[in-house]
Each structure stands twice: as structure tokens, then as C-alpha cells.
Amino acid sequence: EALYLSNIASHVTVVHRRDRFRAEKIMSNRLEAKTQGGNVSILWNSTLDEVLGDDHGVTGIRVKDVTNQATRDIAVHGTFIAIGHQPNTQIFAGQLAMDGGYIKIGQGS
């Protein structure tokens, strides 16, 4: 998802809870290559603590360092959350509008 977004967004920040990726090596290498003079940055050993926003939408994210629990805020224009290849949304089935296992959203969601 980050590789795809890096082709359409001015900048992509990947928040990753470990010190390395466990994904396919070729994909990890491609993403890490985009950090060298590209439009991708990776925050290692970090988790998303909170999505920040106002009535107009997302304005930032609060990221927590897993090693020392310190947090910092980063200004962003949007947030895309992805963990693995299978959406883990089955608990919302029948409660929220879905499309192929993904939750449908609209503007302002």
C-alpha cells in the first residue's frame, strides 16, 4: 500500500512497530529504496497512537515510540491504515457498509 501511495502522494510516512519489515524482501527493498531521495519516510519502532483532526478532516497523527513510549505529533493530510494483506474487519460485518471485506467510507469519515 505504501508503494502504491508513494506514486500518487507528495509524501508517505510509514509507521512500523518493529525495527525491520517481515514482508516479502523484494517489496521491502523497493520501499526502503524510496526513502533514499524519494518521497517515503519510515518511522521504525513506532505505533500510531492517535489520528488528529478537526471538523474538516485529518490534520495529523500522534506516534508513539515503542522503546521509550515518547509521543510526537506529525502533520499529515490523510491517514491510510493497513496491516497485512487480509482486512481484519469481520467484526463489523452486518453493522457497517462493506466492499470486499473493506469498510466503505465517505468524505468526512
Side-chain angles (χ1 to χ4, degrees):
E1 287 83 358
L3 281 170
Y4 173 76
L5 290 172
S6 71
N7 292 319
I8 59 175
S10 60
H11 187 83
V12 174
T13 302
V14 176
V15 179
H16 191 66
R17 66 180 176 249
R18 293 186 176 87
D19 61 350
R20 61 186 165 85
F21 293 122
R22 296 188 307 168
E24 296 175 31
K25 193 67 173 166
I26 192 164
M27 299 303 281
S28 299
N29 289 344
R30 285 181 186 166
L31 184 61
E32 290 182 42
K34 289 239 180 191
T35 66
Q36 305 300 316
N39 62 336
V40 174
S41 58
I42 303 171
L43 301 178
W44 300 106
N45 297 311
S46 300
T47 59
L48 177 65
D49 194 49
E50 186 176 352
V51 176
L52 309 171
D54 57 25
D55 291 340
H56 300 289
V58 174
T59 59
I61 57 173
R62 181 163 294 135
V63 176
K64 183 184 287 187
D65 184 308
V66 298
T67 57
N68 63 16
Q69 302 302 306
T71 61
R72 66 178 168 146
D73 293 352
I74 301 170
V76 299
H77 298 288
T79 303
F80 184 89
I81 300 172
I83 302 171
H85 295 286
Q86 284 289 83
N88 190 13
T89 57
Q90 55 272 32
I91 64 170
F92 302 110
Q95 300 176 49
L96 298 174
M98 307 278 278
D99 182 12
Y102 293 92
I103 298 170
K104 287 185 175 182
I105 63 165
Q107 188 166 346
S109 296

